[in-house]
Amino acid sequence: MAVVLSPLLIMGAIHAWSEQQFSRQLRFHELHQSAQDRLRQTDAMLVRARMALRMITIDDRELTCNEIGDRLAVLELPLRNTIRFDADGLVTCNEVGEGLVGMPMPQLEWNDRMRKGVESFEDSGQRGMALGDPAIYLLRRQSDALGNYSGSIALTLSLEDIVARMSGMSQSSGVTVSLVVPGGQVIGSNIVAGIPMEWISDGAALNKRTYRLRPDQGPPLDVVLLPLSENGLWLMVGSPAPPQRVEVILAFLVPILAYLAALLAASWIADAMVLRWLERIRLRILDMRSSARYALLAPELSRAPLEVQQVAEAFDDLTSRVSKHESDLQLALVQMKAAFREVHHRVKNNLQVMLSMLKLQGRGEALPETQSALKVAAHRVAMMAAVHHTLLNEGDLDTVEALDLFNAICNQVDEQKGWGEGGRQIIPDVTPGPLPADLAVPVGMFVLESVSLLCPEADEDEVADVTLHFDREHGDCRLALTCGGGEEGSVEMDRDTSLFLSAFARQIGGTVSVNAQEDGRIAIELLFSIPVPD
């Protein structure tokens, strides 16, 4: 329906545009005709003033300014003042105003131009010398008997009086008449003070158009501008802008309303046939994602259009395949976790067997050195078995909880060293968090070798505790073992211990350092990094 009504909408827009253009042309011709009548009247007044000034200047008698004014009175011109200037451009007499004698003319370059031979000169928009309101200056050159320049006579025509006479001739009360001087200032209007300069530019006379003025008060005005024969002076005729015709509005509004009604009907049909069912599909998918339970969608959309039912059937088929695939993956994951736990269990059992064999071998050795070496090896195997036992009980295959790991390591160290409650022991200070499972055995062996370095076979009176501190900041980890009670610098790593610590540090991917502090405490520190999950 919307497509069918589109040509109607376009035709209505074209009709409304053509009606608007026709009304603008009709409006221009009405205002232009009114302006032409006033233009002819104004030009006739200027022609009479020029002719009268020419006749006065060719008269042989030296008339005074009052005599000139009396002669011009019969012409009924909007004359404001009569002024005579000498050869230097200074006032010698005037008809209106006091104290003007001896004053220079408003523009001294006027006098220079007449001195150079210009017979007549006109200027519009200048302020009158006596009363100060804008006026038209008509100047004509005078010569003496020898033909030399002796001065000039000027007539000033009041722009306010010209506008008042044109307004008095108007037959329509809705038409306003005013004059525009160079600079865009409007004379004779109490509504508009000025117009844009581009409206009275050099090529503006060729633009036959109606301008729209929006004054601060009152309705908008349609104005027409025509140039007068006086250079730089324009006649402006304006009238309140008429309201928009109802036919033009309806020609454009009715197709728009019909088009909107068609769009509304099309959207309702689309919602009833497609969008409503798509929304139900979207909600069902969200429910499936939140509950992780897959239910058939096709039965719920049995009343939907055929295409939507086909989409629901395809979705149910895909859902069943995905559900079966996920079930297979879950079963495989359970089997894999069980296999990993079985591996850790078997490794732990094998290490227990090795531990028993080492203990039996140590009991049958006669040399103390051999017994000591077998004892150290048994301690290391026992530590690996304890770590695998911790990994066996972890829920995640790739990581191990740091608190569980270090507790198991500390318990194993206490058991191997024979430390118990109320005596010497290793105290864990661990920041919880996951560690990679691959680092569990190297970390346990590193702690065991570090404790062996810090706490060799000591006297029974030696009860200084060992502190195990572990913390992390993002992916940077720090493991420190500290033991007190010795003298500064009293701990030195033998060759085997140094090799073991360095080897485990390299396997972890960190650096190891042994520091003797001022208070007699010894610290072995391991710095390493672990990947940070996104």
Side-chain angles (χ1 to χ4, degrees):
M1 187 180 297
V3 176
V4 173
L5 290 177
S6 296
L8 182 61
L9 177 64
I10 297 174
M11 292 177 60
I14 295 175
H15 177 68
W17 179 80
S18 61
E19 285 287 336
Q20 187 177 14
Q21 294 298 319
F22 177 75
S23 62
R24 286 181 179 178
Q25 293 178 2
L26 183 62
R27 182 69 171 163
F28 171 78
H29 287 298
E30 291 176 355
L31 294 176
H32 188 267
Q33 183 63 38
S34 178
Q36 286 286 0
D37 297 338
R38 289 159 180 79
L39 183 65
R40 286 190 290 269
Q41 298 167 0
T42 305
D43 285 342
M45 285 189 292
L46 293 175
V47 170
R48 293 200 304 271
R50 296 188 189 106
M51 183 63 68
L53 181 61
R54 180 183 178 187
M55 297 300 296
I56 291 172
T57 53
I58 64 177
D59 196 338
D60 294 336
R61 292 175 296 174
E62 189 73 18
L63 300 176
T64 64
C65 293
N66 292 330
E67 292 174 344
I68 296 174
D70 293 339
R71 286 194 172 190
L72 297 177
V74 296
L75 298 178
E76 296 182 353
L77 296 175
L79 187 64
R80 180 51 57 95
N81 202 354
T82 304
I83 307 173
R84 185 185 290 275
F85 300 99
D86 60 11
D88 295 327
L90 301 179
V91 177
T92 59
C93 72
N94 58 282
E95 183 182 6
V96 179
E98 298 180 357
L100 298 183
V101 176
M103 292 182 60
M105 61 176 57
Q107 299 288 338
L108 290 179
E109 58 99 7
W110 298 349
N111 193 59
D112 295 335
R113 294 176 65 178
M114 291 186 178
R115 187 188 300 275
K116 294 178 182 178
V118 177
E119 285 293 330
S120 62
F121 183 78
E122 299 179 5
D123 197 358
S124 59
Q126 294 291 336
R127 296 290 180 180
M129 297 185 65
L131 301 180
D133 56 341
I136 300 177
Y137 277 83
L138 304 178
L139 291 92
R140 193 163 184 86
R141 187 176 187 272
Q142 277 194 312
S143 302
D144 56 12
L146 300 177
N148 296 324
Y149 175 62
S150 62
S152 59
I153 297 177
L155 300 180
T156 61
L157 305 179
S158 172
L159 296 181
E160 296 284 353
D161 292 345
I162 294 176
V163 172
R165 292 193 180 191
M166 289 188 296
S167 300
M169 301 174 185
S170 176
Q171 298 177 355
S172 174
S173 60
V175 177
T176 61
V177 182
S178 54
L179 295 176
V180 181
V181 298
Q185 181 184 0
V186 178
I187 306 299
S189 174
N190 55 359
I191 301 176
V192 182
I195 62 173
M197 287 294 296
E198 58 268 17
W199 291 6
I200 54 173
S201 59
D202 294 337
L206 301 177
N207 298 331
K208 296 182 178 181
R209 54 171 294 188
T210 304
Y211 296 96
R212 178 64 59 86
L213 270 177
R214 301 185 183 277
D216 296 336
Q217 297 179 353
L221 294 177
D222 289 336
V223 299
V224 170
L225 294 168
L226 293 180
L228 293 176
S229 59
E230 176 63 35
N231 186 27
L233 198 61
W234 291 72
L235 173 65
M236 184 175 76
V237 176
S239 178
Q244 191 74 18
R245 294 175 57 187
V246 178
E247 295 83 356
V248 176
I249 298 176
L250 292 179
F252 192 69
L253 186 59
V254 170
I256 289 181
L257 293 177
Y259 190 78
L260 293 177
L263 289 180
L264 182 61
S267 63
W268 180 81
I269 295 173
D271 181 73
M273 300 185 62
V274 180
L275 300 180
R276 181 170 55 130
W277 303 106
L278 292 180
E279 179 65 16
R280 296 181 68 173
I281 294 176
R282 186 185 70 85
L283 294 177
R284 172 57 67 88
I285 293 175
L286 290 178
D287 292 341
M288 292 180 181
R289 290 180 57 185
S290 60
S291 62
R293 292 183 303 173
Y294 298 101
L296 294 179
L297 185 61
E300 186 177 349
L301 302 181
S302 58
R303 300 177 59 186
L306 179 60
E307 293 79 3
V308 178
Q309 294 183 21
Q310 292 175 349
V311 171
E313 293 173 357
F315 179 81
D316 289 343
D317 180 65
L318 180 62
T319 301
S320 62
R321 294 185 182 185
V322 172
S323 178
K324 184 177 182 304
H325 184 64
E326 286 187 356
S327 299
D328 295 341
L329 290 178
Q330 290 290 340
L331 179 60
L333 181 60
V334 170
Q335 293 175 352
M336 184 181 66
K337 288 184 177 181
F340 267 93
R341 289 191 177 91
E342 182 64 22
V343 169
H344 285 303
H345 181 68
R346 294 185 182 186
V347 170
K348 185 197 73 168
N349 290 343
N350 292 336
L351 291 175
Q352 291 288 350
V353 173
M354 292 179 60
L355 178 61
S356 299
M357 295 175 63
L358 289 173
K359 289 181 179 181
L360 290 175
Q361 184 70 28
R363 292 173 185 172
E365 292 292 337
L367 297 177
E369 294 83 358
T370 304
Q371 292 181 359
S372 178
L374 291 175
K375 183 179 179 180
V376 171
H379 287 174
R380 291 170 178 167
V381 172
M383 179 59 73
M384 287 190 288
V387 171
H388 277 282
H389 182 72
T390 303
L391 295 175
L392 173 63
N393 297 323
E394 288 294 320
D396 195 350
L397 299 178
D398 297 328
T399 60
V400 59
E401 172 57 40
L403 192 59
D404 297 338
L405 175 63
F406 285 108
N407 284 337
I409 292 173
C410 292
N411 292 335
Q412 184 63 30
V413 171
D414 288 338
E415 181 180 349
Q416 292 178 3
K417 295 295 184 179
W419 297 341
E421 296 183 1
R424 189 178 192 182
Q425 60 181 349
I426 180 170
I427 302 173
D429 178 18
V430 180
T431 301
L435 284 175
D438 295 339
L439 301 182
V441 173
V443 167
M445 301 305 296
F446 180 86
V447 173
L448 179 63
E449 296 301 323
S450 299
V451 172
S452 299
L453 173 65
L454 291 173
C455 306
E457 297 298 334
D459 298 335
E460 294 182 357
D461 297 336
E462 181 65 46
V463 293
D465 293 329
V466 178
T467 302
L468 185 149
H469 178 77
F470 175 78
D471 59 14
R472 73 179 73 196
E473 184 176 356
H474 301 294
D476 298 328
C477 299
R478 174 177 173 270
L479 173 61
L481 290 100
T482 307
C483 182
E487 297 179 359
E488 182 179 355
S490 63
V491 174
E492 295 181 358
M493 286 192 297
D494 57 19
R495 181 175 178 274
D496 292 338
T497 304
S498 176
L499 289 175
F500 273 111
L501 291 180
S502 300
F504 291 131
R506 285 195 302 272
Q507 186 175 359
I508 296 172
T511 58
V512 62
S513 61
V514 180
N515 302 315
Q517 302 176 359
E518 295 181 357
D519 57 356
R521 299 174 64 84
I522 307 301
I524 299 178
E525 187 175 73
L526 173 65
L527 302 177
F528 62 96
S529 299
I530 60 174
V532 178
D534 298 334

